[in-house]
Amino acid sequence: MSQQTPDREAVPEMANRLGIDGIEFIEYATSRPQALGQVLESMGFRPVARHRSREIILYRQGGMNLVVNAHPDDARVSATVGGHPMISAVAFRVQDALKAHTRCMALGAWDVPSHVQAMELHIPGIRGPGGSRFYFVDRWQEFSIYDIDFVPIPTVDLKPPALAGMSYFGLVQYIGAARSADWIAYYERMFDFSLIPDEQRFGILPKGTLMRSPCGRFLWQLIEPDPMMDDDEAPECLQRLGIGVPDVNAAVSLLKSRGVEFVESAQLHPEDRGALTRTVLGAVSFELVHQVV
């Protein structure tokens, strides 16, 4: 997928109008939760809690929360092809969730209807690419959404440490052909993301357009179809999770010892800047990126 702010802030009031302050959780939808759970555990995530009323498990390591949604009544779960997991939601930490949601709706976002049950929190959200969702969470410090909606799994450590200093670095979104300008405008207008100059690159995959969140805590990469490949009709989606580590080679060695396989080829192989895990379960891969602490 660096963190130097480009000079694109000609309008000061556009700095961070939603009060975004990082990623609260990533959600995968799948009808094969056990298989995905094994993959996540090999990457260092640990199951720590279960949702009160839905087939959803919270995984965690360090400051990263990741939920696996296998609830059969969720349209995103039933829409997965062959049960292959897909990134179905990203929750942004914000100062005021209602205000953030209201502003996005005023800008033309599509609302996500709420189906909360008794004793559950309403988390406002809008529709994202490919049927995914963007949620807004303002309860993420001393009191969090998990204190209400989830029940801890007995005897487990609720705050397992992160392997190799891992933290969320960003996400990769696959977009349609010639759609970069549309999505850049969307993220600039809706969330106040800003473009990163082409000469600034992170990780080992040079493709696409990079954008930085207004809080500077994570990046977003937009990738159009390869013009040499016949995949122009592939659906737009959130494709891959980027994980930052202070030492890529050390992280790769540790993960290999846990059974994680990495892409090794003449064109792509682990190096100091980054590494890419092999795709498993048809759709799941992670990109390690060198991140200066």
Side-chain angles (χ1 to χ4, degrees):
M1 267 176 153
S2 168
Q3 307 256 355
Q4 297 173 358
T5 304
D7 185 16
R8 292 178 54 85
E9 298 179 342
V11 183
E13 63 269 19
M14 292 181 65
N16 189 358
R17 289 168 292 186
L18 298 187
I20 294 176
D21 197 18
I23 295 173
E24 174 55 29
F25 67 79
I26 303 293
E27 178 190 274
Y28 277 88
T30 182
S31 60
R32 301 173 60 192
Q34 292 182 332
L36 177 57
Q38 291 176 353
V39 174
L40 296 177
E41 291 197 46
S42 71
M43 291 293 298
F45 289 93
R46 291 289 179 265
V48 299
R50 302 180 188 278
H51 197 276
R52 291 184 181 278
S53 65
R54 297 182 176 90
E55 293 183 35
I56 300 175
I57 298 179
L58 169 63
Y59 287 78
R60 177 180 288 156
Q61 66 166 313
M64 295 188 291
N65 297 306
L66 189 153
V67 297
V68 173
N69 181 2
H71 196 67
D73 292 338
D74 192 312
R76 294 168 299 164
V77 175
S78 60
T80 58
V81 179
H84 293 334
M86 66 178 187
I87 300 176
S88 53
V90 180
F92 298 134
R93 292 175 174 175
V94 296
Q95 296 304 311
D96 188 310
L98 180 58
K99 286 184 178 180
H101 179 261
T102 300
R103 173 172 173 76
C104 288
M105 293 299 296
L107 291 173
W110 291 358
D111 190 27
V112 172
S114 175
H115 301 291
V116 298
Q117 299 186 20
M119 301 295 292
E120 296 178 1
L121 290 173
H122 167 59
I123 303 176
I126 61 174
R127 298 185 185 277
S132 64
R133 300 173 180 178
F134 294 127
Y135 288 114
F136 305 108
V137 175
D138 53 16
R139 299 183 182 186
W140 48 271
Q141 295 175 315
E142 294 82 5
F143 177 75
S144 76
I145 57 174
Y146 315 109
D147 296 323
I148 298 296
D149 286 358
F150 287 80
V151 178
I153 297 174
T155 73
V156 306
D157 181 1
L158 294 180
K159 296 183 179 181
L163 287 183
M166 291 186 192
S167 62
Y168 283 141
F169 189 86
L171 283 101
V172 175
Q173 176 182 337
Y174 282 8
I175 61 177
R179 288 268 285 157
S180 290
D182 294 337
W183 280 108
I184 290 170
Y186 174 86
Y187 283 108
E188 286 181 330
R189 184 166 180 260
M190 194 69 65
F191 302 132
D192 290 330
F193 282 24
S194 58
L195 272 174
I196 293 176
D198 287 342
E199 59 269 18
Q200 293 187 33
R201 284 286 154 181
F202 317 101
I204 54 177
L205 299 177
K207 294 182 179 180
T209 300
L210 281 175
M211 304 190 77
R212 180 181 286 109
S213 67
C215 60
R217 294 180 178 271
F218 61 95
L219 303 186
W220 210 271
Q221 187 172 17
L222 303 171
I223 299 182
E224 293 189 17
D226 188 330
M228 303 299 294
M229 304 292 289
D230 186 22
D231 59 355
D232 285 1
E233 301 304 318
E236 297 186 316
C237 62
L238 300 177
Q239 179 67 22
R240 184 169 57 254
L241 179 59
I243 296 178
V245 292
D247 187 326
V248 173
N249 289 322
V252 168
S253 296
L254 177 58
L255 291 172
K256 281 185 174 180
S257 72
R258 300 170 63 88
V260 178
E261 296 184 354
F262 288 82
V263 175
E264 304 263 7
S265 69
Q267 293 77 31
L268 187 65
H269 56 86
E271 57 182 54
D272 292 343
R273 293 187 302 126
L276 183 67
T277 67
R278 288 193 178 277
T279 299
V280 294
L281 302 181
V284 181
S285 65
F286 303 90
E287 184 178 352
L288 299 186
V289 182
H290 174 65
Q291 186 171 41
V292 178
V293 180

